[in-house]
Amino acid sequence: VNRQDGNLIPELHVLDVTGKELAFAEHDSTFAAATIKSFSPPAAGTYYIVVSRLNNHAGDSAGSFTLLVSPTN
């Protein structure tokens, strides 16, 4: 995830259908991006990609972002 504007400090999460976190990435040194470099789902099914603010805290940070998901072999 890459912040496009605003002051959002992103975190990135991959959850299974029960809400269990399977992968996590905190912001990088720019405080504007977070990357999960590799994730392999444990089985076929439904997974959720969640973008949140730093530490999932309530607050007034905001901003638009882009999310890129790329399959790997």
Side-chain angles (χ1 to χ4, degrees):
V1 63
N2 290 297
R3 181 182 69 219
Q4 299 301 302
D5 59 37
N7 62 353
L8 175 71
I9 301 173
E11 290 184 342
L12 187 59
H13 311 263
V14 178
L15 311 177
D16 70 10
V17 72
T18 69
K20 178 181 175 186
E21 186 174 81
L22 302 176
F24 168 78
E26 200 170 65
H27 63 82
D28 65 6
S29 62
T30 70
F31 292 90
T35 303
I36 297 173
K37 295 191 186 287
S38 177
F39 172 74
S40 295
T46 300
Y47 297 90
Y48 300 97
I49 299 170
V50 178
V51 176
S52 66
R53 67 173 46 100
L54 179 63
N55 296 322
N56 245 351
H57 286 207
D60 60 2
S61 64
S64 61
F65 59 86
T66 57
L67 177 66
L68 175 64
V69 179
S70 300
T72 59
N73 294 329

